[in-house]
Amino acid sequence: MILAAAGVGFANSMGDAISAAARARYEQRYDDALSAATRHADDMEGLARLSMTMLAELEAENSRLRAACSQRQQVINHLKGRRS
């Protein structure tokens, strides 16, 4: 009877150890996934900031080009008016 109780106790402790090991592996995978997601989010934030900077530069260039085209068109219209 004592041996049976010891066997049951041993089996329970082995089951607890296996469960603890499985829980530790799960927590490690979760921590790894969370770290990877955080790194990815940081990378995406950097990319978004760079994109916004580039967009602002392109908008400024677009404004300069529109102004140049408008000036050119005004000159063309002025020269057409002198020919008439």
Side-chain angles (χ1 to χ4, degrees), residues 1-12:
M1 192 150 198
I2 293 174
L3 287 176
V8 170
F10 179 74
N12 285 340

Side-chain angles (χ1 to χ4, degrees), residues 7-79:
V8 170
F10 179 74
N12 285 340
S13 66
M14 288 299 292
D16 292 345
I18 291 170
S19 293
R23 179 71 181 172
R25 285 191 305 273
Y26 171 81
E27 288 176 0
Q28 184 61 47
R29 285 193 312 266
Y30 179 83
D31 290 345
D32 291 346
L34 184 59
S35 295
T38 302
R39 279 192 307 274
H40 182 69
D42 290 343
D43 292 345
M44 291 299 103
E45 180 182 3
L47 184 59
R49 289 181 187 278
L50 177 61
S51 297
M52 292 303 293
T53 301
M54 292 174 73
L55 179 61
E57 291 171 358
L58 289 171
E59 286 176 342
E61 183 178 357
N62 188 27
S63 293
R64 289 190 300 273
L65 290 172
R66 284 182 182 273
C69 287
S70 177
Q71 285 178 336
R72 178 177 285 175
Q73 189 61 48
Q74 288 173 4
V75 168
I76 290 170
N77 291 344
H78 176 73
L79 292 174

